[in-house]
Amino acid sequence: MDKQNLYKQFSKPLLNWFALYGRKNLPWQLPRTPYRVWISEIMLQQTQVQTVIPYFERFMQQFPSIRDLAQAHEDEVLSLWSGLGYYSRARNLHQTAKKVMQNHGGVLPDNYQLLNELPGIGPSTAAAIVSQAFNQPVAILDGNVKRVLTRFFSIKGYPEQAQIKKRLWELANSCMPQEHCADYTQAIMDLGAMCCTPKNPNCLNCPLQNSCLAFKHEEQHLYPTKK
């Protein structure tokens, strides 16, 4: 499927759906700054949105800027993280804030490669930051996106397997539109969280059902392939 058809059959219906049903009132979207997007993305790496919200709000009250976070003691950062688990995420946040102050003049880089080199920010998180905070056409590949793509394109094979993952990255990049990048990134995550769920997906209300191969063959339950 070429880029134009992908836009017509995948990206455009997804953006139209997001305009009506997508999540637009999450605390890190109001206002949507690079710092707030980054903190939310790290918190959301292993944790559900509803759990993250109160932690995010407390974190922002205590550390409203990168400078505040960089100047904090690690114990302060860890105590605010208490209950969220995966504490290396909090330590990496603290380290990154210091590096941004030292090497980037206190401003989170708008460059994918530079972000990817910072502690705790992998390829998908770096992509989520540049697309949502800087509106750049860089695709993400989190669990929700993998599920949507494997079903839509009928991609068999365990998604973490190198060959399959490479294919999913290619598809994720092909589906990424050149504009409305922040909305698109939120839209594909929302679709996976609200519609294209792991169990009992709500296919009848899905904007992609007309072209989704798993839906067409009634094989939604087979994707993504288990390990």
Side-chain angles (χ1 to χ4, degrees), residues 51-194:
T51 306
V52 162
I53 288 172
Y55 280 91
F56 176 83
E57 288 174 333
R58 284 195 293 272
F59 205 88
M60 283 299 131
Q61 281 176 341
Q62 186 78 18
F63 310 122
S65 71
I66 288 188
R67 180 180 296 278
D68 295 310
L69 179 54
Q71 289 175 345
H73 286 287
E74 190 179 271
D75 291 353
E76 285 179 84
V77 180
L78 290 174
S79 74
L80 271 184
W81 201 269
S82 181
L84 264 182
Y86 302 97
Y87 287 90
S88 60
R89 292 184 294 170
R91 291 190 182 92
N92 284 331
L93 270 182
H94 195 213
Q95 288 306 312
T96 289
K98 289 178 178 175
K99 283 183 186 289
V100 170
M101 291 306 297
Q102 287 162 6
N103 306 330
H104 302 287
V107 178
L108 203 68
D110 63 357
N111 177 288
Y112 172 80
Q113 289 308 130
L114 289 175
L115 283 169
N116 203 8
E117 290 163 10
L118 291 166
I121 300 181
S124 200
T125 301
I129 294 168
V130 293
S131 65
Q132 293 195 89
F134 303 109
N135 214 25
Q136 294 179 22
V138 183
I140 67 164
L141 192 64
D142 70 355
N144 283 321
V145 178
K146 286 174 192 164
R147 192 163 57 254
V148 171
L149 294 176
T150 55
R151 285 175 176 165
F152 185 86
F153 293 101
S154 183
I155 304 291
K156 293 182 172 68
Y158 181 53
E160 295 307 313
Q161 197 186 322
Q163 204 57 31
I164 305 297
K165 198 168 194 178
K166 181 170 178 276
R167 176 83 181 113
L168 290 173
W169 269 117
E170 286 165 2
L171 289 169
N173 284 311
S174 299
C175 292
M176 182 65 164
Q178 292 303 299
E179 40 193 36
H180 308 299
C181 307
D183 283 351
Y184 173 83
T185 297
Q186 188 63 50
I188 196 166
M189 290 192 289
D190 285 359
L191 190 78
M194 296 157 67

Side-chain angles (χ1 to χ4, degrees), residues 14-26:
L14 183 54
L15 281 165
N16 290 343
W17 173 85
F18 177 74
L20 292 172
Y21 306 110
R23 294 182 286 197
K24 304 178 196 72
N25 295 312
L26 296 168

